[in-house]
Amino acid sequence: MTESLSPRLREMRWWDIDPVLELEKDLFPEDAWSRGMFWSELAHARGAEATRRYLVAEADGEETGSGVRVIGYAGLATTGDQADIQTIAVARDHWGTGLGSTLLTELLTAASEFECAEVMLECRVDNVRAQKLYERFGFAPIGFRRGYYQPGNVDALVMRLTTDPDSSSAAGSTSVQGTEIHD
């Protein structure tokens, strides 16, 4: 399989739901999102009243008829001045390439564009890889949600990134230049 070295990021659209669901089921088999959940999120991602930002990462490859393969996705929801990272996922064969960092950077940029003062997220307590990524970006643990991930009854670690006093948004507080993140 030949894939491009630099994945392309673009807005997630309805036609991306099927390949995203394939990744979702592979990466999160116990608590994968449904088709309806993605449709609902995308319904709030366009137009003047948009409160969501969803992205896909794609690379050239031989695995699909079009020669393009979705290798990652990410989503952000906003309410007022608070953003919530809904999901970030990277295909297993792209772990360690920095794609998770790229997707997170794009979500934080979107949070800044939405003028959010803080960004929240929940992460499985057993997903140490993701926790380390979020900590490198300045997220700090603030609590737990017991039994958050169902049906496995796995706890969630709640993390928050707040506004740097010298910036106008939470995304402005994150400096990734020169940071090497293996995700």
Side-chain angles (χ1 to χ4, degrees):
M1 171 178 64
T2 304
E3 298 218 7
S4 65
L5 297 176
S6 179
R8 292 172 304 280
L9 298 184
R10 63 173 174 76
E11 176 186 9
M12 184 187 293
R13 300 297 306 273
W14 65 267
W15 52 81
D16 296 311
I17 292 176
D18 284 342
V20 164
L21 281 173
E22 286 179 33
L23 274 177
E24 180 81 4
K25 290 174 185 172
D26 176 51
L27 297 169
F28 312 111
E30 288 186 0
D31 47 20
W33 282 23
S34 68
R35 179 181 312 280
M37 291 170 76
F38 280 107
W39 271 105
S40 178
E41 289 297 296
L42 291 180
H44 299 284
R46 302 198 86 197
E49 302 299 317
T51 58
R52 308 286 195 275
R53 173 88 165 128
Y54 276 79
L55 308 165
V56 292
E58 58 186 15
D60 296 329
E62 300 170 3
E63 293 193 15
T64 64
S66 68
V68 175
R69 174 178 164 229
V70 172
I71 57 172
Y73 57 93
L76 177 88
T78 63
T79 305
D81 67 349
Q82 182 176 315
D84 187 33
I85 293 179
Q86 301 291 299
T87 187
I88 295 180
V90 173
R92 293 178 194 275
D93 62 337
H94 282 78
W95 286 2
T97 65
L99 181 55
S101 298
T102 300
L103 289 165
L104 181 54
T105 298
E106 289 297 315
L107 293 183
L108 294 176
T109 298
S112 178
E113 291 167 357
F114 281 115
E115 299 179 356
C116 294
E118 68 179 1
V119 181
M120 306 286 293
L121 62 85
E122 293 89 16
C123 180
R124 289 176 63 108
V125 294
D126 58 359
N127 191 344
V128 176
R129 175 186 204 86
Q131 290 170 35
K132 288 182 178 181
L133 169 66
Y134 300 135
E135 287 170 357
R136 288 184 187 117
F137 274 75
F139 283 85
I142 61 168
F144 293 93
R145 294 197 175 161
R146 303 284 177 213
Y148 184 77
Y149 292 99
Q150 294 297 327
N153 202 36
V154 177
D155 295 344
L157 175 64
V158 180
M159 301 181 82
R160 177 176 60 200
L161 176 66
T162 56
T163 302
D164 181 315
D166 297 327
S167 74
S168 61
S169 69
S173 68
T174 304
S175 175
V176 293
Q177 188 174 17
T179 303
E180 184 175 345
I181 300 175
H182 301 283
D183 47 286

